[in-house]
Amino acid sequence: MTVKMYTIAVRMFVQFMHRNDLIICAFRVNMCTAEREITKTEENTMTRFEREISGSLGAFWKKNAEEEVRKAVAQADAQATIDADGAIRWNSNGRYLMDDFCEKLEYAGYAFSREATAAKRDAQNAESLAEYRRNDKGFSREELAEARAAFGEGTTVVNVLTGKKTKL
């Protein structure tokens, strides 16, 4: 089975993007930017949740996973809406649910479409990133000073969302 992943490790200083609920921090993080394919093998066929709920990680983690499923269902019932195509999104911000949360709902037999949710979430993320790129004005004087303090004078930093390079 082949799964498409979009990750790249980056180093950035703290910046909060209000529209996207995204925080970029001054330590190593994974950002969804570059496409690569990962082939599942026997070693990685189960997600962490699947290993927990199956009991293969022990009774403590199995009980914890069962409780997470109960909480996820209660939270979805109270705070989410299911579209006509089965995609599920939060009422508070209109964002489509992340896949790890959907995995718990799917395990519980919740009536929604994980595939429709993933497709709409990907489209929503692409739209948000495109909007960020259009509205990016580069570093302010204060951000440049913070970046120089974090990475050093003369270092070239790259905004992984826009591709813009800045020499500090």
Side-chain angles (χ1 to χ4, degrees):
M1 172 184 220
T2 301
V3 178
K4 292 193 180 210
M5 299 291 289
Y6 299 85
T7 61
I8 186 170
V10 297
R11 290 182 177 265
M12 295 289 288
F13 57 93
V14 176
Q15 184 176 8
F16 181 71
M17 296 186 308
H18 298 280
R19 169 85 167 97
N20 299 327
D21 298 328
L22 177 64
I23 298 175
I24 304 171
C25 299
F27 55 86
R28 204 170 169 88
V29 298
N30 285 328
M31 299 293 296
C32 298
T33 56
E35 180 176 357
R36 64 186 172 101
E37 289 193 10
I38 294 181
T39 304
K40 285 193 170 189
T41 64
E42 288 183 31
E43 297 171 11
N44 66 356
T45 55
M46 295 177 78
T47 65
R48 170 70 188 211
F49 173 75
E50 289 171 327
R51 290 192 314 258
E52 288 175 1
I53 202 75
S54 72
S56 68
L57 298 177
F60 172 82
W61 289 109
K62 180 176 176 58
K63 182 179 177 184
N64 185 64
E66 290 167 350
E67 182 60 27
E68 284 185 23
V69 169
R70 282 191 288 280
K71 287 179 182 177
V73 169
Q75 189 175 5
D77 283 343
Q79 301 174 22
T81 299
I82 299 175
D83 294 345
D85 63 355
I88 188 168
R89 59 185 163 78
W90 294 119
N91 296 332
S92 61
N93 62 8
R95 302 293 295 178
Y96 289 92
L97 276 59
M98 297 302 293
D99 198 55
D100 60 337
F101 197 89
C102 289
E103 181 179 20
K104 293 169 185 153
L105 294 178
E106 190 174 65
Y107 176 82
Y110 206 82
F112 79 105
S113 171
R114 193 169 174 183
E115 294 77 23
T117 302
K120 284 190 168 181
R121 181 181 57 246
D122 290 346
Q124 206 172 45
N125 289 342
E127 179 185 329
S128 293
L129 289 171
E131 181 180 347
Y132 174 81
R133 289 181 186 112
R134 282 191 307 273
N135 295 327
D136 179 52
K137 301 202 183 348
F139 291 118
S140 68
R141 293 182 69 149
E142 181 181 359
E143 290 169 332
L144 279 171
E146 289 176 5
R148 284 186 186 107
F151 301 111
E153 186 83 31
T155 303
T156 299
V157 294
V158 178
N159 181 326
V160 296
L161 301 176
T162 64
K164 182 180 176 186
K165 296 179 181 180
T166 304
K167 185 165 181 154
L168 304 176

